[in-house]
Amino acid sequence: MSRRRQRCLAVRVLGRLLLLHCLLSLPVYAAAEPAEFVLDESVDRFYQAQVYRLPNGLQVVLKPQPGVRKVSIRLVLGLGTDHFECGQAELPHVIEHMLFEGTRQFSNSELEQRVAEHGASWNATTDLLQTSYEFEVYGPYLGFAIETLYDMVANSLMDEGAMERAIEAAGLESDNSNQVKRFWQSLEIGGSGSDWLFSDMAMFCAADIDPYTFDHAGLLDAFQRFYRAGNMSLILVGNFDEAEVREMLDSSFATLPAADFSPAQNRFSWKLPQQERYESSASLDVQDTADVGIVWLTGGYRGEEYFSLRLLRHYLGTQMYTLLRNEHQLSYSPFADASIMENQGVFYLQADTRQGKEQQVLDLLRRQLDGLLADGLGPEEFERLKHSMLISSAMEDL
């Protein structure tokens, strides 16, 4: 059995929005007099919040919930891996880790100890377009959490030693610094069909590119440009007194320097791939596997079809699982997904299977799409999907 990556399957990547336009014209989006969808009072209250800006431009979102005992805090910045070229893509992730390396007042171990002593938890994540710092704290200790989060943003150690420690931590977490892994991927061994296709489309960075090719000066420049009040949102949900929180923020986050901020453009300019296909991949295991998929280029989250795509992803993912795994045992984890930027995106169906079964899986996917195009969804199914999506979104916001 060959250990090299096999290119066994070619599937048509449909042109811009051709099939998508058909999908968006289904009866699901134009059902005759569907039942009115009304949020109940408790859900409506959940989404009511106080939103305002501090004088320096930082956006604040407050949602008091007196019936709980904790407060959840999120500090969200418009900075993600897509704001840098592939060779520097991990720079926002490294900055995220640097804010946990200690401040002028407390070392990193002292910060960890203080968080533990207050029974709190903290974490952070960096994704394609934003960085989020998260704090969960017992309501009476909210002042400690705000003070600590502010100290991290305003007074973190940003020296070269902290950068080296943060690079090591970020590399272990993301596995992007693994030189052996990048070597194998440069030989086209490993990875999935969608990974290779989306790299061709300039949607994702190629796996063999080192994303840590930046220096300390470049990191400091990025921190000073992006960690600005006008690029931040502070969100508090839980048991707190709104007037007291406003006073806390006036003496902390409101003192951050005000500066004009223009949102950065992400680096990608998506295109149809040079080879219009999903490429299957041979694993280094005993049995070979392959990826099968169909891709559409779409508009972004500002486009009118965004919420329709979310519903389609939810519906098609469930249908694919039932069809390919439960009924035909052809795929272990088929799914529908989308990667959506502001003005452009990709919607795709993907299924893993055994080599030699690719065409059978592809035929079933096309048959499923043909049925959706022909029959659409009835009003009851449409309402059920909307309700399910609302519940899922509400849980993500908690």
Side-chain angles (χ1 to χ4, degrees), residues 79-83 126-130 204 266 268 339 341:
L79 170 63
T81 58
D82 280 1
H83 291 133
T126 299
D127 60 24
L128 299 178
L129 294 177
Q130 68 180 30
F204 297 150
N266 69 71
F268 294 122
S339 184
M341 300 298 183

Side-chain angles (χ1 to χ4, degrees), residues 85-310:
E85 296 299 324
C86 290
Q88 300 183 351
E90 281 291 289
L91 196 155
H93 190 197
V94 171
I95 294 178
E96 171 216 310
H97 278 270
M98 289 183 73
L99 265 63
F100 290 87
E101 286 296 323
T103 68
R104 289 194 289 268
Q105 185 176 5
F106 300 106
S107 68
N108 57 350
S109 60
E110 289 172 334
L111 285 174
E112 289 280 1
Q113 182 177 354
R114 284 167 56 82
V115 171
E117 288 174 349
H118 285 81
S121 63
W122 61 348
N123 203 350
T125 57
T126 299
D127 60 24
L128 299 178
L129 294 177
Q130 68 180 30
T131 302
S132 176
Y133 296 88
E134 307 166 1
F135 231 113
E136 306 284 337
V137 67
Y138 182 48
Y141 295 149
L142 175 58
F144 157 76
I146 291 178
E147 174 187 326
T148 302
L149 192 55
Y150 168 73
D151 192 33
M152 293 168 59
V153 173
N155 302 309
S156 279
L157 302 177
M158 302 297 293
D159 56 40
E160 293 190 43
M163 184 184 78
E164 293 303 319
R165 293 191 297 272
I167 288 176
E168 182 178 1
L172 291 172
E173 186 175 78
S174 65
D175 200 29
N176 282 333
S177 64
N178 190 318
Q179 298 286 343
V180 175
K181 177 183 176 181
R182 290 207 302 272
F183 171 74
W184 285 113
Q185 290 173 330
S186 70
L187 297 178
E188 299 186 347
I189 298 175
S192 67
S194 58
D195 291 339
W196 293 97
L197 177 70
F198 294 158
S199 293
D200 286 345
M201 298 171 69
M203 177 179 169
F204 297 150
C205 293
D208 58 342
I209 294 178
D210 182 356
Y212 295 92
T213 58
F214 51 84
D215 57 18
H216 184 241
L219 182 141
L220 288 181
D221 176 70
F223 179 77
Q224 293 166 0
R225 285 190 294 116
F226 285 92
Y227 276 67
R228 295 292 187 181
N231 193 37
M232 298 180 183
S233 294
L234 187 65
I235 305 164
L236 288 85
V237 180
N239 189 354
F240 58 82
D241 180 89
E242 185 177 332
E244 291 180 358
V245 168
R246 288 177 179 259
E247 291 182 6
M248 294 177 190
L249 299 183
D250 286 343
S251 61
S252 57
F253 282 93
T255 66
L256 293 174
D260 293 334
F261 183 85
S262 299
Q265 298 296 316
N266 69 71
R267 65 174 175 261
F268 294 122
S269 177
W270 296 354
K271 61 183 184 299
L272 287 174
Q274 295 177 358
Q275 298 175 340
E276 298 182 355
R277 63 189 182 187
Y278 256 39
E279 297 173 340
S280 65
S281 62
S283 70
L284 300 181
D285 203 345
V286 176
Q287 295 177 311
D288 290 340
T289 60
D291 289 324
V292 179
I294 301 177
V295 181
W296 297 266
L297 298 182
T298 76
Y301 61 76
R302 293 187 181 276
E304 62 182 11
E305 73 273 19
Y306 173 68
F307 291 102
S308 298
L309 288 174
R310 291 188 61 183

